[in-house]
Amino acid sequence: PPQGPAVHVALLRSLLQASHTATPRSSTSSAASVGSEVALPPRVSRLAYLADPFLGQSRKQPRAEIRTYCPIPVEDCPTAHSLFPPVPREQLPPLIHHINAEDEWPSLVELISTQAGIPESLVLELLRFGAVYLSKPLVPGLRKQRVGLVEGMGKAMRVTTNVPVPRGAYIRVHANPKRHLEANDVDWSNHILAEVHGLVVIDKPAAVPTVPTVDNLAESAL
């Protein structure tokens, strides 16, 4: 074929003109097929489309699977609106969500809120309250069951901040943690008996746990 700067300039001009004047037709094929004609979103050039076929489109939400436990029918199970005082004095029935992340999630708060239907503000309170646990796969993406145990998974650890969730992770959410409201009514300064060599001796009130419980990090003698 003929060579030279003039030929290259003409070829580039014709390509640019074709990209502006061509009217792509709709296609039901995958948008990731670079060679297929697809309807581009408004204000998205063909060169930008080739770099990112999903530019200008809503990205697919990551997937997850959820199982919920409650001693009464889940649809009848009451839920807390806030965990911090003032709160109702009566205990709510246990409500535990078991979530398996089938895809990677950028935010633990988003995952729990989306799958369990809990407002993000309450999810943040559950995190601060110590009612959320996360188990990450030792091998990314690997998760299989055997005799009730999970192979290739790390120990479920309490998390108190919003973190990314890897694919294959397991999340446990105690949406109705057991309350020990007496701990909020104690003036702890009046219950300190002695402080010796870094040790503190206290007169612990009745009904207040000595250490945090599995679903309550906030209401204890510690």
Side-chain angles (χ1 to χ4, degrees):
Q3 301 291 332
V7 175
H8 290 171
V9 170
L11 178 60
L12 179 60
R13 184 176 300 162
S14 63
L15 289 175
L16 290 175
Q17 183 178 4
S19 66
H20 285 290
T21 59
T23 303
R25 45 191 177 80
S26 299
S27 173
T28 57
S29 60
S30 171
S33 300
V34 175
S36 61
E37 291 288 346
V38 297
L40 300 183
R43 311 173 80 95
V44 176
S45 69
R46 181 167 295 277
L47 293 179
Y49 164 76
L50 294 176
D52 183 359
F54 298 100
L55 186 66
Q57 305 178 26
S58 59
R59 295 182 181 271
K60 184 179 179 181
Q61 186 180 67
R63 298 171 301 163
E65 178 189 19
I66 183 171
R67 294 175 291 108
T68 300
Y69 165 79
C70 185
I72 63 177
V74 175
E75 58 272 14
D76 299 330
C77 189
T79 57
H81 299 289
S82 177
L83 299 181
F84 294 95
V87 296
R89 306 296 297 189
E90 66 272 10
Q91 293 283 358
L92 296 177
L95 179 63
I96 305 175
H97 301 292
H98 303 272
I99 305 175
N100 298 328
E102 299 179 359
D103 291 321
E104 180 180 354
W105 287 71
S107 164
L108 177 62
V109 172
E110 179 187 359
L111 168 59
I112 296 174
S113 179
T114 301
Q115 295 299 313
I118 303 175
E120 291 192 358
S121 58
L122 182 55
V123 175
L124 290 171
E125 290 188 10
L126 288 168
L127 287 170
R128 292 170 54 195
F129 215 74
V132 179
Y133 288 76
L134 173 64
S135 174
K136 298 181 180 180
L138 301 179
V139 179
L142 176 63
R143 189 179 191 280
K144 53 184 178 179
Q145 302 283 344
R146 186 186 67 179
V147 197
L149 300 177
V150 180
E151 297 182 25
M153 297 292 291
K155 181 180 179 181
M157 304 295 293
R158 195 193 310 258
V159 288
T160 57
T161 58
N162 190 18
V163 295
V165 179
R167 178 187 177 193
Y170 161 75
I171 302 94
R172 185 175 76 245
V173 183
H174 298 264
N176 287 344
K178 186 176 181 180
R179 306 305 302 264
H180 307 283
L181 298 177
E182 295 80 6
N184 301 319
D185 302 330
V186 176
D187 183 359
W188 290 101
S189 61
N190 295 330
H191 287 262
I192 298 177
L193 302 180
E195 295 184 53
V196 182
H197 302 297
L199 300 177
V200 179
V201 181
I202 66 169
D203 177 19
K204 185 184 75 65
V208 176
T210 302
V211 296
T213 58
V214 67
D215 55 359
N216 189 328
L217 186 64
E219 297 168 339
S220 72
L222 292 182

